[in-house]
Amino acid sequence: MKFLTAAALIGATLLTGVAPAAAEVNYPWCVITGGREGGTMSCGFVSYGQCMQTRIGTDMCVVNPRYQGPRR
C-alpha cells in the first residue's frame, strides 16, 4: 500500500510539472563561529539584529556574500 501511495504521489507530481522546493534558503546575514580563519559560516538570518542575538562570544555577523535578494 505504501508503494502505491508513493507511486501515485510521484505520478501526480510528474503530471503537474511541480518541482520540489530548493533545499538551500538564501538569507542576507551570516554568523561566523570559531573565528574568521577556519570558522564555519551559517547564513540563516533575516536581519542583523537576529544574527547578533544568536551569536556567542567572539562569533561575528557578516553580510551573506551569496545573497541575491528577492527576484522581481
Side-chain angles (χ1 to χ4, degrees):
M1 186 68 183
K2 289 181 183 181
F3 176 75
L4 291 175
T5 304
L9 188 60
I10 292 169
T13 302
L14 292 174
L15 288 175
T16 60
V18 176
E24 184 176 343
V25 179
N26 200 8
Y27 290 109
W29 290 96
C30 305
V31 64
I32 298 177
T33 58
R36 210 182 246 302
E37 299 297 324
T40 59
M41 190 159 69
S42 173
C43 300
F45 304 98
V46 295
S47 69
Y48 178 74
Q50 182 187 29
C51 181
M52 288 297 288
Q53 289 177 353
T54 305
R55 73 178 194 86
I56 300 171
T58 59
D59 297 349
M60 60 168 102
C61 294
V62 296
V63 174
N64 183 350
R66 293 178 294 215
Y67 180 69
Q68 295 180 3
R71 294 184 179 150
R72 294 182 185 205

